[in-house]
Amino acid sequence: MEPASLENLCVLYQSTNYIVVNKHWDIRIDSKMWYEKQTVQSQLKHRFPELADPGTYYGFRFCHQLDFSTSGALCVALNKAAAGQAYRCFKDRRVTKAYLALVRGTVTEENLSLDFAIGKNTTEGKTHMMCTEGTEGCENPKPCQTEVTVLEYGTYDGDPVTKVLLQPLTGFQFHKSVSACATSWDEAKGC
């Protein structure tokens, strides 16, 4: 996938109620900052100016969030009723989420269940990261469960990596928990 630009918004699905786009990595979903030129919000306004709703803060009703560095399907509701319906689906946990990740090291078990409390890292220089309960500087950890399935093995820059499928069961910070685990998989003994 090439870097994000105003023109290269990839639409995965579109109806009268929703539009689902493939969000690029390293792009914000929305921003009111004048210097933030590349956002999904600006891509949508460029491609679909007629769908922007001036009655909303960002012009569009984003049904969920994806981190700046995360790419993948992002659902946008095109009216209040659709936004309400999507909200209820997320709230009632009727939405199935799955993520692909490339993990440093070799994950030896084919299927894993991660069950950790995840919190915000307050350590200087690491405040953008999450951490597991018991880690120095870990603030307000909350339960988080994720199922991990190994898909394949390979190398990246000469180092071993494992491609995994992540399926969250509980916890809104699940993918961040896996990132916290993935950065030190060997030390965590399978995290």
Side-chain angles (χ1 to χ4, degrees):
M1 186 188 280
E2 62 191 43
S5 70
L6 280 179
E7 290 78 27
N8 68 355
L9 178 68
C10 177
V11 176
L12 302 173
Y13 172 81
Q14 185 174 0
S15 71
T16 57
N17 291 316
Y18 300 99
I19 187 165
V20 179
V21 299
N22 188 12
K23 179 194 164 297
H24 284 77
W25 72 92
D26 291 352
I27 185 173
R28 297 189 192 292
I29 291 174
D30 48 39
S31 178
K32 284 289 188 178
M33 307 306 265
W34 62 269
Y35 54 84
E36 290 282 354
K37 304 289 186 206
Q38 293 293 343
T39 64
V40 176
Q41 166 194 5
S42 62
Q43 289 179 314
L44 285 166
K45 280 185 181 176
H46 178 76
R47 176 109 170 249
F48 302 104
E50 72 283 1
L51 296 179
D53 183 349
T56 64
Y57 192 74
Y58 292 107
F60 294 92
R61 294 176 177 87
F62 296 100
C63 298
H64 59 98
Q65 296 289 310
L66 289 177
D67 287 347
F68 175 77
S69 60
T70 303
S71 62
L74 178 65
C75 184
V76 182
L78 299 177
N79 56 63
K80 280 185 183 181
Q85 185 176 13
Y87 169 78
R88 283 186 297 282
C89 288
F90 278 95
K91 182 178 175 281
D92 297 342
R93 298 185 185 271
R94 290 185 284 148
V95 175
T96 302
K97 300 177 192 174
Y99 292 79
L100 289 176
L102 198 58
V103 178
R104 286 183 278 183
T106 301
V107 180
T108 55
E109 295 179 50
E110 239 179 77
N111 296 291
L112 296 168
S113 293
L114 303 181
D115 189 0
F116 295 94
I118 305 301
K120 182 169 175 48
N121 195 333
T122 60
T123 306
E124 187 174 338
K126 296 184 177 182
T127 56
H128 64 287
M129 299 171 67
M130 304 304 288
C131 54
T132 55
E133 186 174 36
T135 303
E136 185 177 341
C138 191
E139 183 180 277
N140 197 24
K142 293 189 167 63
C144 178
Q145 296 175 323
T146 301
E147 294 295 321
V148 181
T149 304
V150 171
L151 300 176
E152 62 183 301
Y153 300 97
T155 59
Y156 183 79
D157 282 343
D159 295 321
V161 293
T162 306
K163 183 179 181 181
V164 295
L165 174 67
L166 311 171
Q167 295 174 290
L169 302 177
T170 62
F172 73 96
Q173 297 290 358
F174 78 93
H175 59 286
K176 291 181 182 179
S177 72
V178 176
S179 297
C181 293
T183 58
S184 59
W185 198 279
D186 293 330
E187 295 87 349
K189 303 293 187 251
C191 210

